[in-house]
Amino acid sequence: MARERIVTGNEITPEEDQVFITLRPDSLSEYIGQNELRDKLEVTLEAARQRGEAIEHVLFYGPPGLGKTTLAHIIANEMGTRLVATAGPALQRTGDLMGILTNLNEGDILFIDEIHRLSPVIEEFIYPAMEDFKVDFVVDKGAFAKVINVPLKKFTLIGATTRAGLLSAPLRDRFGLYYHVDFYPAEDLARIIIRSARILNTSIQPEAAQAIAERSRGTPRIANRLLRRVRDYADVKSDGEITEELACKALDAEGIDSLGLDNLDRKLLQIIIDYYKGGPVGIEALGATLNEEVDTLVDMVEPYLLKIGFIQRTKRGRMASAEAARHLGLNFPGKDTQQRLF
Ligand code: ADE
């Protein structure tokens, strides 16, 4: 099940949360990769600092584990403001949000993770807060119902989402700044791994960092997680020094192949290729065959397989590529077979 995967971008355990905070860069100058985004953000922050103003509302979108939360913390640090963090599914009642909003000070940052999962009622409630820094709060019921207009301090909302397409247009339009966070090239991940190893007091050879990076699916959170698994392996099976050979052995033992694919990825590809003759196959059918939630497949499994060209999303469903079959050592169903079947 996805919960146990070590190559997923999200699903952070509490103890991992602690390590995550230790490894997280606090400033833009420490942040590795996403150069274009970083340059743009630097200008925005400097301009806001010069004017003594809060920055506009920001939306970060992209696959899980790429640093959206980290960037929100960096913005708060760079602006010298407080960050209050919550998540779309945690905000159930307008009262929950009312309490948070009225406690924000001038320039504070409200970070809402998984903002695409806000309920419609909360979304409606948040519009005037974002636009005019006020909320309309209904007290009492029926004939006694009253709308109280509550002014708010000028705060910045930072939203993060893995699915920008699920955001309603009115919510999307209320953000002033949009930043797409993309998968990291292996060279950037190798630098992140070397930085993390230094913080964790672990000795790692550059070739080993590169080998781990290449299996990290373009995702820093996965890179840091694999580094910790390899570090355990080095401590137990060797003298603690992480060499390339040891890193590869440790990751092979975890079932993570040369491209960073794990059992679930391989199973998904194998089902499309063998069972559905290369596709197309609907995501619901894949979820049912794999006994996995569709959201897990869409958020955590597919993005990287799409990125490396192993699957394609078409109107009629998902299709696997010949490269995917080659990587798994499977026969790729020829055109004839597909025409006969579909
Ligand atoms: N740790 C996780 N992501 C990072 C990044 N982008 N730069 C530096 N360290 C990181």
Side-chain angles (χ1 to χ4, degrees):
M1 295 290 282
R3 207 168 304 113
E4 289 140 22
R5 294 176 83 202
I6 64 169
V7 294
T8 56
N10 45 8
E11 314 234 345
I12 313 170
T13 59
E15 66 271 22
E16 192 169 32
D17 208 19
Q18 205 43 52
V19 186
F20 173 62
I21 291 168
T22 317
L23 299 180
R24 189 167 68 196
D26 291 324
S27 64
L28 267 188
S29 59
E30 278 178 84
Y31 191 91
I32 295 164
Q34 308 290 340
N35 294 348
E36 204 178 304
L37 185 161
R38 222 160 19 117
D39 289 349
K40 284 195 272 186
L41 194 54
E42 209 153 24
V43 173
T44 300
L45 295 178
E46 185 51 35
R49 271 193 300 250
Q50 280 182 15
R51 291 191 208 108
E53 286 176 0
I55 64 165
E56 289 179 72
H57 304 307
V58 181
L59 182 69
F60 288 118
Y61 61 101
L66 300 187
K68 297 187 288 294
T69 305
T70 300
L71 285 165
H73 280 275
I74 287 178
I75 292 176
N77 281 342
E78 297 269 353
M79 296 299 292
T81 57
R82 215 165 49 115
L83 179 137
V84 178
T86 183
L91 297 169
Q92 293 291 329
R93 294 167 305 138
T94 50
D96 299 338
L97 187 55
M98 179 76 183
I100 295 175
L101 288 171
T102 51
N103 277 303
L104 292 175
N105 293 322
E106 194 87 18
D108 276 356
I109 286 170
L110 172 62
F111 175 63
I112 306 184
D113 203 4
E114 298 184 77
I115 195 160
H116 60 277
R117 294 179 64 190
L118 284 178
S119 72
V121 175
I122 298 280
E123 243 193 73
E124 289 273 335
F125 187 75
I126 218 168
Y127 296 155
M130 290 176 78
E131 210 156 70
D132 304 318
F133 301 100
K134 65 178 179 70
V135 274
D136 299 322
F137 195 63
V138 183
V139 287
D140 258 333
K141 286 201 173 97
F144 301 104
K146 277 195 299 276
V147 177
I148 304 180
N149 195 269
V150 184
L152 303 171
K153 305 268 170 51
K154 235 181 151 195
F155 69 101
T156 296
L157 176 70
I158 301 185
T161 178
T162 50
R163 306 239 209 128
L166 292 188
L167 240 58
S168 70
L171 181 59
R172 219 171 35 227
D173 292 348
R174 281 170 171 82
F175 288 97
L177 299 159
Y178 303 83
Y179 296 110
H180 181 228
V181 194
D182 212 341
F183 287 113
Y184 292 59
E187 305 81 71
D188 289 347
L189 291 176
R191 289 172 58 208
I192 291 173
I193 290 167
I194 288 168
R195 174 183 178 275
S196 299
R198 199 171 50 235
I199 296 169
L200 295 171
N201 253 325
T202 297
S203 166
I204 186 165
Q205 292 181 356
E207 301 78 23
Q210 185 67 26
I212 299 172
E214 276 157 17
R215 298 189 192 203
S216 298
R217 310 165 72 96
T219 308
R221 189 179 298 160
I222 297 175
N224 283 333
R225 194 177 292 162
L226 297 186
L227 169 65
R228 294 198 306 279
R229 293 292 74 75
V230 173
R231 179 176 69 142
D232 290 349
Y233 193 88
D235 284 342
V236 173
K237 304 265 186 190
S238 170
D239 58 358
E241 160 98 2
I242 302 178
T243 62
E244 183 181 3
E245 193 192 344
L246 185 132
C248 292
K249 251 194 198 160
L251 296 177
D252 287 344
E254 295 276 359
I256 295 162
D257 72 19
S258 59
L259 290 178
L261 308 192
D262 74 348
N263 263 330
L264 183 54
D265 300 302
R266 288 190 290 267
K267 244 165 72 187
L268 177 112
L269 292 169
Q270 193 193 351
I271 284 173
I272 303 178
I273 294 165
D274 282 346
Y275 196 75
Y276 293 101
K277 308 293 174 228
V281 48
I283 190 72
E284 276 80 17
L286 280 173
T289 317
L290 283 161
N291 195 22
E292 281 291 346
E293 300 265 345
V294 167
D295 277 356
T296 305
L297 299 181
V298 172
D299 285 340
M300 298 191 265
V301 183
E302 280 195 333
Y304 191 67
L305 297 176
L306 285 163
K307 161 89 183 166
I308 61 173
F310 274 18
I311 55 171
Q312 273 182 320
R313 242 185 228 156
T314 71
K315 280 206 181 99
R316 291 163 60 216
R318 274 58 173 174
M319 300 188 67
S321 68
E323 290 76 43
R326 206 170 309 126
H327 178 72
L328 296 183
L330 299 171
N331 281 327
F332 191 63
K335 240 189 161 167
D336 286 342
T337 330
Q338 282 197 34
Q339 275 167 355
R340 247 185 286 124
L341 282 165
F342 296 96

